[in-house]
Amino acid sequence: MPTPEFGRLGDNPTIEDLTDYIYKLQKELNYLLQSLDTININRLDAKVIVANTITANKMNVAQLSAISADLGSITAGTVTGATIQTATAGRRIKLSGSELESLNGATKDGFTLDGATGFLKWYDAAGVNTGGINKDTTQAYEQLYMYHNNYLLFNAGTQFDIYSPLVKLSHGSGRLELTKIRWYDTGAITATTPAGTDRDMIWGTSSQGTGPHIWKAGGWYAMNSVAVP
C-alpha cells in the first residue's frame, strides 16, 4: 500500500500541489486493489488482514511441510504420500506405504497387512510373528496357506465344508490326529459295500464295531481293529 510522503511537496505546498498528489495516491491505491490476484507481495502484516478475506481460490501452495497444527476434523479428497497413524506413540494403528500395522511403541503387536504381497501376519506382545495367511505364487497353481506357531483351530458351530478334487492332510515331526471323522454314513457294512476307488474310507457298523473303516486287502476293517492286515 502506498505511503503518503508529503515532505516531497516542500514546506509550503499549494492547494493544487496537494490535490495532484492525492490524485496520484488514489490512482496507485486503485491499481493495487484491482491487481491483488497477480501482484507479487513479499510480506503481509497479519494485523491488517481481515478475517475470512483470504479464500481458497486466492491460494496456490505447493508444499505445506512446514506447518504443524492440530487440525481437528478434516474433510478431504485424496491424501497421497502420507503416513497416517492413530497416535504418535504407544499402542496405535499405522498406515505407511503399502503396509497397515498394529504397533505398541516400536514393536509390532497384533497384526500387519502388506498390500504388496497380500500377506497377513499376527504378532505377540514381544513382536514375534506367530502366524499368518499368505499366498504362494511360485507353484504351478497359486496357493493360499495359513500357519501358526502353536495351535490352529477351525471351529464351526454347525458345519465345516472343504470342496476340492483332492484334500491332503500331512504332518511334520509330530502326529496327525483325526477325530470324529465321517466320510460316508453307510449303516451296516457288507461285502457288497462299494470299495476301491469308489470309497477308501467309510463310517459304518460291521462285526468289528461302529466307526471309521478302511478298505484293505479286499475287505473292510475297522480302523481301531487289530485285525487290519
Side-chain angles (χ1 to χ4, degrees):
M1 179 176 294
T3 302
E5 297 181 6
F6 294 107
R8 294 181 180 180
L9 300 179
D11 294 333
N12 300 301
T14 65
I15 296 299
E16 289 78 8
D17 293 336
L18 291 173
T19 302
D20 291 341
Y21 190 71
I22 292 174
Y23 176 72
K24 291 178 181 179
L25 286 176
Q26 288 177 334
K27 288 184 64 176
E28 291 182 16
L29 181 59
N30 185 57
Y31 169 77
L32 288 174
L33 293 176
Q34 292 180 356
S35 305
L36 283 179
D37 288 337
T38 57
I39 196 168
N40 182 17
I41 300 176
N42 295 321
R43 181 177 179 273
L44 284 176
D45 189 341
K47 292 185 293 185
V48 301
I49 299 177
V50 180
N52 302 320
T53 57
I54 300 179
T55 56
N57 63 333
K58 296 295 192 300
M59 299 180 65
N60 183 9
V61 182
Q63 189 171 352
L64 296 175
S65 58
I67 294 178
S68 178
D70 184 353
L71 301 179
S73 179
I74 302 174
T75 300
T78 301
V79 179
T80 303
T83 296
I84 300 175
Q85 55 185 0
T86 56
T88 57
R91 188 172 298 280
R92 64 194 186 278
I93 301 296
K94 179 180 178 181
L95 174 61
S96 179
S98 63
E99 188 173 43
L100 177 66
E101 54 186 352
S102 171
L103 298 172
N104 189 5
T107 303
K108 294 180 179 180
D109 178 10
F111 75 94
T112 62
L113 177 61
D114 191 326
T117 63
F119 207 153
L120 174 62
K121 295 181 180 180
W122 293 281
Y123 294 83
D124 62 16
V128 177
N129 176 221
T130 57
I133 302 176
N134 195 16
K135 63 178 181 179
D136 185 356
T137 58
T138 63
Q139 306 300 320
Y141 299 96
E142 184 175 295
Q143 299 178 5
L144 179 68
Y145 65 88
M146 301 178 63
Y147 71 93
H148 196 275
N149 294 352
N150 184 25
Y151 187 74
L152 186 62
L153 172 66
F154 295 94
N155 188 354
T158 303
Q159 182 173 325
F160 179 73
D161 296 329
I162 300 177
Y163 293 95
S164 176
L166 177 63
V167 177
K168 291 184 177 181
L169 300 175
S170 60
H171 66 84
S173 59
R175 64 181 181 178
L176 179 66
E177 294 186 2
L178 303 174
T179 60
K180 295 184 179 180
I181 297 177
R182 182 175 181 173
W183 282 268
Y184 294 95
D185 189 359
T186 62
I189 298 177
T190 66
T192 59
T193 301
T197 57
D198 293 324
R199 296 179 183 179
D200 296 323
M201 303 186 73
I202 60 176
W203 179 285
T205 302
S206 69
S207 59
Q208 302 170 23
T210 298
H213 288 61
I214 61 173
W215 180 263
K216 188 78 172 182
W220 287 104
Y221 293 86
M223 294 181 65
N224 60 353
S225 172
V226 296
V228 178

